[in-house]
Amino acid sequence: MSRRAPAAPGTCAPPVAGRTLTTVSADGARLHVEVHGPKDAPAVVLSHGWTCSTAFWAAQIRDLAAGHRVITYDQRGHGRSPAHPVCSTEALADDLEAVLAATLAPGEKAVIAGHSMGGMTVMAAAGRPGFREHAAAVLLCSTGSSRLVAESRVVPLRAGRVRTWLTGRVLGSRAPLGPVTPVAKSILKYATMGAGCAPDRVEACARIVHACPRAVRHAWSEVLATLDLDHGVRRLTVPTAVLCGTSDRLTPPVHARALAAALPHCLGLTELTGVGHMTPVEAPETVTGRIRDLVGTYVTGAAPVRIKEGA
């Protein structure tokens, strides 16, 4: 069973949704969906990553909802979306298409942002009719399309078979994460965040990640271990911006650079110095700014896009 993360402290607490709904995916999986902001405002769809939930996007929701319709959803088995026996990239694509169909009018365009597994969701759906109908532009945050275990730097060893084997065991562990303790926060920070990340943001991420049921965490780790979505990158023809942290151990910048080189319409790669894997939480102003720029250029046409390399 999925669980809602305990309330995060202070400014990291997720806002209350103006509207919630449950949509059903192609295989019957039920998905919790939240809609924030004015109903007639330009739309933004946010897809979170492995072991996270809608709460992960708290900063983006809070900053964008005044002038945008912000749509978030819990991936199957995460947050308030019940677990389902099917875990695959095709299921992720089905789920995103179901959310788009349930929340957007026919032909309505939106900016779609995906973090980590949420970015992989976008790549998996790139060739789908429902995605192409609604995607105006995309932001990929801290994600990759293949070789996730081999390139991960969570285990501090030189690249090779030993590190890959150990990384697979660590990321695919069935062990419970337990309560959010100082030790647990230190481990999570090392694995997923930059050294300078503020304590309240570390705690917010820890609460979210620890709320993910271990069976769900393990099931999706197996999908990620064999991920190959390089074909999805080539099908992602809408304007796409890429963003990553230089201190990301889970999906190091090699992934973002490969995406930027392979995307048919890449708007540029932004590498954030000292930031880890949790970019929307660690660098919320930058991530929100990128989304706002994409909306202004590709949905409302009100502003030129200001994405540039190395920002």
Side-chain angles (χ1 to χ4, degrees):
M1 181 178 293
S2 59
R3 296 173 290 180
R4 186 179 184 183
T11 58
C12 295
V16 176
R19 181 166 70 100
T20 63
L21 62 145
T22 299
T23 190
V24 180
S25 193
D27 61 3
R30 298 173 66 81
L31 304 168
H32 171 77
V33 183
E34 299 180 1
V35 182
H36 303 256
K39 64 179 181 179
D40 296 325
V44 172
V45 179
L46 305 176
S47 181
H48 71 74
W50 178 49
T51 74
C52 292
S53 68
T54 58
F56 186 79
W57 295 106
Q60 285 68 47
I61 296 168
R62 184 174 293 105
D63 288 350
L64 290 170
H68 302 76
R69 189 164 84 261
V70 183
I71 299 158
T72 63
Y73 69 102
D74 286 323
Q75 301 273 21
R76 58 175 65 195
H78 295 71
R80 283 177 279 181
S81 292
H84 191 275
V86 177
C87 295
S88 68
T89 55
E90 288 299 302
L92 292 175
D94 287 341
D95 296 352
L96 178 56
E97 278 200 302
V99 170
L100 296 176
T103 57
L104 300 175
E108 182 181 7
K109 296 295 186 179
V111 167
I112 303 175
H115 171 260
S116 193
M117 193 173 81
M120 299 161 201
T121 301
V122 171
M123 297 176 221
R128 298 286 191 90
F131 178 86
R132 294 188 171 186
E133 177 185 0
H134 293 294
V138 163
L139 175 63
L140 298 177
C141 297
S142 309
T143 191
S145 59
S146 61
R147 293 181 52 81
L148 299 183
V149 175
E151 297 289 357
S152 171
R153 298 176 184 172
V154 169
V155 176
L157 295 175
R158 188 169 59 183
R161 287 183 295 176
V162 173
R163 189 182 77 176
T164 299
W165 185 85
L166 288 172
T167 301
R169 297 305 179 272
V170 170
L171 298 182
S173 172
R174 295 177 183 269
L177 295 182
V180 178
T181 64
V183 172
K185 287 187 284 187
S186 295
I187 293 171
L188 183 78
K189 181 179 180 181
Y190 166 80
T192 68
M193 308 181 86
C197 189
D200 63 329
R201 296 178 182 181
V202 175
E203 179 161 347
C205 283
R207 288 172 180 265
I208 293 168
V209 170
H210 280 238
C212 181
R214 61 175 169 168
V216 171
R217 187 180 80 239
H218 174 73
W220 283 107
S221 75
E222 293 191 322
V223 175
L224 300 180
T226 58
L227 186 81
D228 185 354
L229 286 172
D230 293 344
H231 62 285
V233 180
R234 296 189 292 270
R235 292 174 181 170
L236 189 53
T237 56
V238 299
T240 302
V242 184
L243 183 148
C244 71
T246 61
S247 296
D248 187 342
R249 290 185 171 94
L250 277 178
T251 54
V254 62
H255 291 294
R257 294 165 191 161
L259 291 174
L263 284 164
H265 190 170
C266 184
L267 297 171
L269 165 62
T270 300
E271 297 190 23
L272 302 177
T273 303
V275 173
H277 183 67
M278 304 301 210
T279 43
V281 174
E282 295 181 71
E285 296 85 2
T286 300
V287 172
T288 302
R290 293 293 183 265
I291 295 171
R292 186 176 282 113
D293 284 346
L294 291 171
V295 172
T297 301
Y298 296 103
V299 179
T300 66
V305 71
R306 298 193 299 271
I307 296 171
K308 59 183 179 180
E309 295 190 16

